Amino acid sequence: MNILYLCDEYPPGRHGGIGTVVHMLAHTMADLGHKVTVVGFYDWGYGGKDEFDDGKVKVYRFRRGMASKLFEEQDSLFARGLFKLCKVSGLFQRDIKKSLVRYKAFVESLIERHNIDIIEMPDYNDYIRFCNSYVPFPKFSVPTVVKLHGSLTYIGHNNNTEVPAHVVAMERHILAQAEGVCSVSKYRADMAQVYKEYEGDIAVMYNGIETASIQPYETKYHNRVVFTGTLNANKGIFQLAKAWNKVVSKLPDAELVVFGKGPIEKIKALLTEQAKAMVSFKGHVPRADLFQYLGESAVAIFPSYAESFALAPMEAMACKTAVVYTKRTSGPELIEDNVNGMLVDPDDVEGIAEKLLQLLTNPDLAQQLGERARQHVLDNFSMRVVGQKHTGYYQSILEANNSLRKTK
């Protein structure tokens, strides 16, 4: 097959979970013998090359009309002010409308040039957050699959914030015109129907990880726990801090290592002096360093409130590290409680502390869960397994589309 992935955050450059997932999937599909192209509708200051080869994957970055280096330093006060001014004034929306017309033409040229059979795109499209009113996404000439990761509609409902009507309408339009809709988890698929995003059939196509590059460490620091993720309430870091006070009061040499950016002082304010001394904040580190910490630690914990289907817990499991994950959202789809990991309610501070203490004081149990966790990930979530499932899914969409055409 000739596959085109639409991705507005393909590495290298600023990217989140969708960029990481598309990058891994694109390379996997190329390794499986498919021809893979990636194109994105990039924001005004993304930077990087317009066109490049990423191994076997051909990548294009389509620039909006107002693209400028003025927008590149998005963390600066000047750039933030400029973004706000352009959004409020409607300049960005006008540029988006014109640029989407050119983007459709550009994508159609790629479809012809690379003989594209099928397109996959995410439900989250960053341009939508800059629109003050309805601006529809274009329909393309080949079958399109939309994958549910976490749309603005989904994120808003999860955070109990109001989602503007035009945003809901734009995201529903994208799903309605797709030939197929799939989701990174059953939970995310269920929520799409609860939030009335989409009422048709939704296939579950789980995320995966590159297991071949993750080698477990046989020697563990049996008193060490690792947390990795954005340091915000949704990830459960504040609940973990409260629980850590209880852990350290009973196990004074327990060590918590925290990776990720966020309000560190706010987290420290929740810790007792005794607990604070046993927590280290590392921020962002190279992936090799992160995997070393994960591999050498007894436990990794992710007490999240909201996850579509996260990569971080799978990476820890592949490191043969015992994982404590959330009972909520997609947690039970990855881990079977007390079989290949442990599940906990993020609101249950006592429960979080209890699970951590149970694993820290019982190295044999932690080792057993870690070994089962790695095997579970190898069997079900390695990228080769995930790629083969995507191949079958894409073929089913193409066959259904061909059958529909023949009946018309």
Side-chain angles (χ1 to χ4, degrees):
M1 271 183 292
N2 296 335
I3 306 165
L4 176 62
Y5 290 103
L6 305 190
C7 180
D8 305 339
E9 51 177 80
Y10 190 87
R14 299 189 313 273
H15 65 279
I18 292 175
T20 300
V21 166
V22 173
H23 182 266
M24 288 193 295
L25 184 57
H27 280 269
T28 298
M29 299 306 280
D31 288 341
L32 288 173
H34 305 291
K35 182 180 177 183
V36 180
T37 308
V38 179
V39 63
F41 186 60
Y42 281 84
D43 76 29
W44 299 271
Y46 196 87
K49 295 180 180 179
D50 290 346
E51 180 181 335
F52 62 96
D53 293 320
D54 182 24
K56 300 175 185 177
V57 179
K58 184 70 176 180
V59 184
Y60 299 88
R61 290 192 175 117
F62 179 88
R63 311 293 179 179
R64 299 174 199 174
M66 289 173 58
S68 168
K69 289 187 176 181
L70 289 173
F71 297 105
E72 282 189 11
E73 297 297 328
Q74 292 192 7
D75 290 332
S76 71
L77 185 62
F78 171 78
R80 289 203 305 270
L82 191 57
F83 264 85
K84 185 174 181 179
L85 175 63
C86 290
K87 181 182 186 303
V88 171
S89 68
L91 281 173
F92 274 165
Q93 173 155 318
R94 287 194 288 275
D95 185 44
I96 286 168
K97 280 185 176 180
K98 293 178 181 177
S99 297
L100 278 174
V101 174
R102 293 189 298 110
Y103 182 57
K104 175 177 170 59
F106 183 71
V107 172
E108 291 294 346
S109 73
L110 295 180
I111 289 171
E112 184 176 356
R113 188 186 318 171
H114 296 285
N115 196 25
I116 299 298
D117 298 306
I118 194 165
I119 293 171
E120 181 186 297
M121 65 176 291
D123 58 339
Y124 177 87
N125 291 272
D126 196 57
Y127 85 89
I128 293 176
R129 69 189 178 97
F130 296 104
C131 294
N132 302 321
S133 60
Y134 185 83
V135 180
F137 192 78
K139 170 73 176 168
F140 300 111
S141 59
V142 297
T144 298
V145 168
V146 177
K147 182 177 285 180
L148 303 174
H149 294 267
S151 64
L152 291 169
T153 302
Y154 167 80
I155 293 167
H157 280 292
N158 264 359
N159 293 336
N160 294 314
T161 58
E162 186 177 353
V163 184
H166 70 277
V167 169
V168 174
M170 290 160 74
E171 293 186 329
R172 283 180 180 170
H173 171 77
I174 288 171
L175 292 167
Q177 66 184 7
E179 279 73 23
V181 175
C182 64
S183 171
V184 297
S185 66
K186 184 178 183 301
Y187 169 79
R188 176 66 184 100
D190 290 344
M191 291 302 100
Q193 304 208 336
V194 170
Y195 303 149
K196 301 188 185 303
E197 294 175 88
Y198 186 74
E199 296 180 355
D201 293 335
I202 302 174
V204 176
M205 303 299 295
Y206 289 117
N207 292 332
I209 58 169
E210 291 285 1
T211 53
S213 62
I214 303 175
Q215 296 303 317
Y217 286 69
E218 297 305 322
T219 302
K220 301 277 190 182
Y221 291 96
H222 296 301
N223 65 330
R224 183 191 286 171
V225 177
V226 170
F227 170 93
T228 175
T230 307
L231 307 185
N232 61 28
N234 277 342
K235 296 295 184 181
I237 185 63
F238 301 117
Q239 300 298 86
L240 174 58
K242 296 172 189 175
W244 194 247
N245 294 329
K246 300 177 183 295
V247 171
V248 173
S249 69
K250 295 183 179 179
L251 200 64
D253 68 338
E255 176 190 3
L256 174 63
V257 184
V258 176
F259 294 92
K261 287 187 176 181
I264 292 174
E265 293 305 317
K266 189 175 178 181
I267 297 166
K268 286 182 177 180
L270 298 172
L271 296 167
T272 64
E273 290 303 315
Q274 182 188 23
K276 198 181 299 182
M278 302 309 294
V279 180
S280 50
F281 294 89
K282 300 292 185 180
H284 281 307
V285 298
R287 285 183 67 76
D289 294 348
L290 175 62
F291 280 120
Q292 181 173 348
Y293 270 95
L294 283 171
E296 291 178 344
S297 300
V299 184
I301 183 162
F302 309 91
S304 308
Y305 285 90
E307 295 288 0
S308 291
F309 201 74
L311 302 182
M314 283 192 282
E315 292 173 340
M317 293 168 76
C319 289
K320 205 185 284 188
T321 299
V323 169
V324 180
Y325 198 23
T326 179
K327 275 186 178 178
R328 301 191 186 185
T329 63
S330 62
E333 294 180 62
L334 176 63
I335 285 180
E336 185 177 353
D337 197 19
N338 294 312
V339 174
N340 47 33
M342 290 185 171
L343 297 174
V344 68
D345 190 315
D347 276 337
D348 184 4
V349 172
E350 290 283 352
I352 295 171
E354 180 183 322
K355 299 280 187 181
L356 291 175
L357 285 166
Q358 187 178 356
L359 291 168
L360 291 172
T361 57
N362 192 338
D364 290 341
L365 174 61
Q367 180 182 355
Q368 184 182 67
L369 291 180
E371 289 172 351
R372 290 176 181 169
R374 178 170 169 81
Q375 194 59 52
H376 180 59
V377 169
L378 291 175
D379 291 344
N380 298 282
F381 302 107
S382 68
M383 283 309 303
R384 188 165 188 84
V385 171
V386 168
Q388 289 168 343
K389 290 181 178 178
H390 277 74
T391 298
Y393 176 64
Y394 294 157
Q395 287 173 341
S396 72
I397 295 298
L398 290 174
E399 288 169 6
N401 188 68
N402 287 336
S403 297
L404 185 62
R405 283 183 175 180
K406 288 176 182 179
T407 62
K408 289 183 177 180

